[in-house]
Amino acid sequence: MLLRLLRALSLVLLAAAPAAAQLNESFTDGDFTANPAWTGDVTSFQVTTQQLQSNGPAVTGTQIQLATPGQAVTGTTWEFWANLRLATSSGNLADVWLISEQADLKAAGNRGYFVRLGGTPDEVALFRKDATGAAAYVINGADATLASTTNNVVRVRVTRSAAGLWNLERDLTGGNSYTSEGTATDNTYLRSQYLGVLLTYSSANNRAFSFDDFRVSDQTEPGLSSATPQAGTLLDVLFNEPVAANTPASAFRLGSGAVPTGAIRDATDPGLVHLTFANTFPLGTSTVEARNVVDLYGNVATGPLTASFVYNGTPIQPGPNQLLITEILADETPQLGLPASEFIEIHNPSTTSPLDLGGVRLTKPGNTALAVFGSGAILLPGEYAVVCASTRVTQFASYGKVFGLSNFPSLSNTGDQLLLRARDGRQIFEVNYADTWYRDNSKKDGGWTLEMIDTSNPCGGADNWLASTDPSGGTPGRANAVRAANPDRTAPALLRAVAASPTLLRLTFGEKLDSALTANPALYTLAGGPAVQRVTPVAYDFRAVELTLAAPLTANQPYTLTVARATDCVGNASGPLSSATLVLPAAAVPGDVVINEILFNPRTEGVDFVELLNRSGKYIDLQGWQLGRVRPDSIAENRTIISEPYVLAPGQLAVLTSRPDVVQAQYASSSEPAAFLPALTLPSYPDDAGIVTLLNAQNTRIDRFDYSQDLHLALLDTRDGVSLERLRPDGPSRGSNFHSAAGSVGYATPGRRNSQFLAESASSQQFTMEPEVFTPDDDGQQDFTTLGYRLDAAGYAASVTVYDALGRLTRRLVRNETLPTSGFIQWDGLTESRHKAAVGYYVLHIELYKPGGGAKKEYKKTVVVGARL
């Protein structure tokens, strides 16, 4: 009792004097929720006989915690008493946090230092916890120090000098005869907000932890760590620990003798003081001095304390690619480790020039409300900063510099185009991100940021962005986790040239261009055509330029366009010449462009695709065309194929899909990447049956195909990932003109000639068999046969039946079906029961009924079902 009275008296004396104790907690008042206030799992602790005791759920694997404010970091001594009445192990231990950034000691991204009591080595050790990875030893205490199974009493004392030298001591009797566990230097973290206890236990030990006599004392004067100019008259000075809120401006002066006109301690970092001077700093290196600066605990640094800084001049207004967007969190849920709020990160890649962001605008195309950086917003050389909505600034305060903007644009989860524009409207930076840039299906579902890989390659697009690899989900306010050298050494390639109108050409390149260097009309020549009068780079990504011609083009006549030089935004120039053929397109009529191949039942993790074929002799512009689906309720579901000019040449293929990368990966040896149009959202095509429609820009139906899984070869083990291919390009868009793609080519040929392609028969005979010997084994060679016909009049009806060599019925192909004047009937080698027909001779019996009820005519054609040896 006498000891308790003396302790209480000491608390009163300490409270009455300017002592150096930040915390002195012995729970003599029987309450841990006030004086000081401990927060956290308060229902899982109690004060028993003036000691803090655990009283959490009796469940194995439970973690409980309490934390209280604590800002001492250097020149500090931490002391506490503990008793662990259990056998310590990896599942029964106590972590006493001395320095913590967060009140939530369990948080995976928390940073700081803690003393571990127990664990597998049964030790007393000092650890550092970073935002990523497992905790690391600072001082590895001796093993088997806490060896009792029922009573591990220990008093711990930890000191950290102003230079960052740690000393860990303990007394296993609970007294003050300390034994050192070792020393080490670590200056990783110089800021603290909390200290506390975090307990891990099994069900039998929920009440086995007791603590007492927490004392934190700082008896060391503050040190000056650094000085950083924020503008010509603004200087930030950073101390190694929190300083008094009323630190006066008179405590500072420059080496030149200049005294600041004002000094304000930072609202969130009490070790940071903002100084304002009347005159601009001289260029080059200067020194600031500090005298009589007091820390939070009454320690006075009489000084002079000095720090040097370099001023590079007045901040400049950013020009093209001098201010970058380097990180994007568009989908904040599910929350991983970052604040549940959309943000972008900006970066100043310069090593010398600060940027004046005042008046810079963040926006999206079509947005009328602009998010504008305020006057005085500065981004230092090499600095990163978070940009978020003005109401979300406090959520990002711990990540460094934050700019909160009114009208911060909403970021679409699947993709968006973001623009940074100067105060005069000039474009500074553009990024048109998409969720495919994550290259990780699990991360694109939310909680992870997209990060730029190489900041020296700002125009790299999808090839220079990747999902963050930081365990917290991103790296706001600091260098990206995925950073690596990823330079652009490739000159811009001319992808296509199209005639948008008789006097306007649109050229599309493979990457962003230097808009100024590509705007010279002398760089462009149109062989046999009119001269180029004007060149206009197309905002916002500048991957395209528009050429205005002096006279109109002639429709459907090919021209060769030559580009002498094109320069991308990082200075790579094409050469010696790039050329492309272009044509003023002609109007399409139904049947000019047809559905040539369709995958409607993709593999696992696969996607649908539709392939178009221009089977006409025209050059046809697909701009504004739509790919559709007619649903059972007759409601059309249409999707625009491409919103910009895209001319399809005679015989050219175009592949439409939501994920060109996935289709190309799954059919790597049988696809043609150049034939893929930009990703679009396809209509939802069912796996069993559906209707595909193709409409031009005037909503005229150009083609329609009614597909069904029954059109697939019945011998297939699975139809998943197998496309239906058109057999004859000039044939009708009916099921009889489609067949499963061959297994020998991987079951699909997106962008390439169909594996089941059949040329139009040149025979003048009334009936022909092609081929006369076929092998229905799905190897892409003679997998089926066709009965071609040419009739002398329209309106004939026919029945076609297959018999084997013994005259037995094998398959009914057609029954009383009206035929056009020419066409073909397919036999896939299957019997009426959908089994493969035996090897041998077969006879196709053809019954032809003359128009107007004339006499029936009969024909026979022989075919052989073979097999490959």
Side-chain angles (χ1 to χ4, degrees), residues 836-842 864-867:
K836 183 177 179 182
V839 172
Y841 285 91
Y842 291 84
V864 176
V865 174

Side-chain angles (χ1 to χ4, degrees), residues 30-379:
D31 182 14
F32 63 83
T33 62
N35 299 319
W38 296 71
T39 59
D41 300 318
V42 294
T43 59
S44 295
F45 290 87
Q46 62 188 16
V47 175
T48 305
T49 62
Q50 298 184 6
Q51 291 180 342
L52 181 67
Q53 181 184 5
S54 61
N55 187 27
V59 177
T60 296
T62 295
Q63 283 191 316
I64 58 175
Q65 65 171 1
L66 284 180
T68 191
Q71 296 178 319
V73 287
T74 62
T76 301
T77 299
W78 294 266
E79 299 173 78
F80 62 89
W81 176 94
N83 187 5
L84 278 60
R85 299 184 302 280
L86 48 79
T88 64
S89 65
S90 61
N92 291 279
L93 55 87
D95 290 339
V96 180
W97 284 74
L98 313 178
I99 291 175
S100 173
E101 285 187 350
Q102 302 183 39
D104 182 4
L105 308 178
K106 304 174 189 176
N110 193 25
R111 302 187 292 184
Y113 301 90
F114 62 83
V115 173
R116 173 159 292 174
L117 304 178
T120 301
D122 303 324
E123 64 186 352
V124 178
L126 178 65
F127 285 83
R128 184 188 73 242
K129 176 64 175 65
D130 301 321
T132 62
Y137 280 110
V138 177
I139 299 174
N140 187 356
D143 292 354
T145 300
L146 305 180
S148 173
T149 61
T150 59
N151 192 50
N152 291 293
V153 174
V154 64
R155 186 180 295 273
V156 177
R157 180 170 67 187
V158 182
T159 59
R160 186 191 197 187
S161 71
L165 177 65
W166 294 84
N167 185 17
L168 171 64
E169 300 172 287
R170 47 80 175 169
D171 182 344
L172 299 182
T173 69
N176 293 289
S177 299
Y178 290 105
T179 298
S180 178
E181 291 282 0
T183 62
T185 299
D186 190 305
N187 274 319
T188 305
Y189 300 117
L190 298 174
R191 292 291 178 272
S192 179
Q193 296 295 328
Y194 300 92
L195 58 87
V197 294
L198 172 61
L199 310 181
T200 303
Y201 60 80
S202 55
S203 59
N205 298 317
N206 63 312
R207 302 186 65 189
F209 299 84
S210 295
F211 297 91
D212 205 350
D213 298 341
F214 284 94
R215 180 178 173 85
V216 181
S217 58
D218 178 350
Q219 300 174 343
T220 307
E221 64 190 40
L224 182 57
S225 299
S226 64
T228 305
Q230 299 298 315
T233 59
L234 304 177
L235 184 67
D236 282 357
V237 290
L238 182 66
F239 292 88
N240 64 348
E241 62 174 310
V243 297
N246 60 350
T247 301
S250 59
F252 305 91
R253 71 173 184 177
L254 298 181
S256 63
V259 176
T261 58
I264 301 175
R265 192 182 72 170
D266 189 82
T268 58
D269 186 349
L272 179 64
V273 180
H274 306 291
L275 304 180
T276 302
F277 289 83
N279 298 314
T280 302
F281 306 126
L283 295 176
T285 302
S286 298
T287 301
V288 64
E289 297 179 355
R291 300 173 185 268
N292 300 317
V293 176
V294 184
D295 67 14
L296 296 183
Y297 321 113
N299 302 302
V300 181
T302 56
L305 309 176
T306 61
S308 297
F309 65 93
V310 177
Y311 177 61
N312 294 308
T314 303
I316 64 172
Q317 297 180 30
N321 295 321
Q322 290 179 328
L323 175 64
L324 310 178
I325 295 174
T326 51
E327 190 168 4
I328 301 168
L329 181 63
D331 188 354
E332 70 274 26
T333 56
Q335 186 178 11
L336 185 64
L338 300 175
S341 178
E342 295 178 351
F343 75 87
I344 66 168
E345 175 190 79
I346 57 174
H347 173 56
N348 177 0
S350 170
T351 59
T352 58
S353 300
L355 297 178
D356 179 2
L357 305 185
V360 169
R361 313 165 192 174
L362 170 65
T363 186
K364 301 194 304 185
N367 270 22
T368 56
L370 302 178
V372 183
F373 288 79
S375 176
I378 302 295
L379 197 63

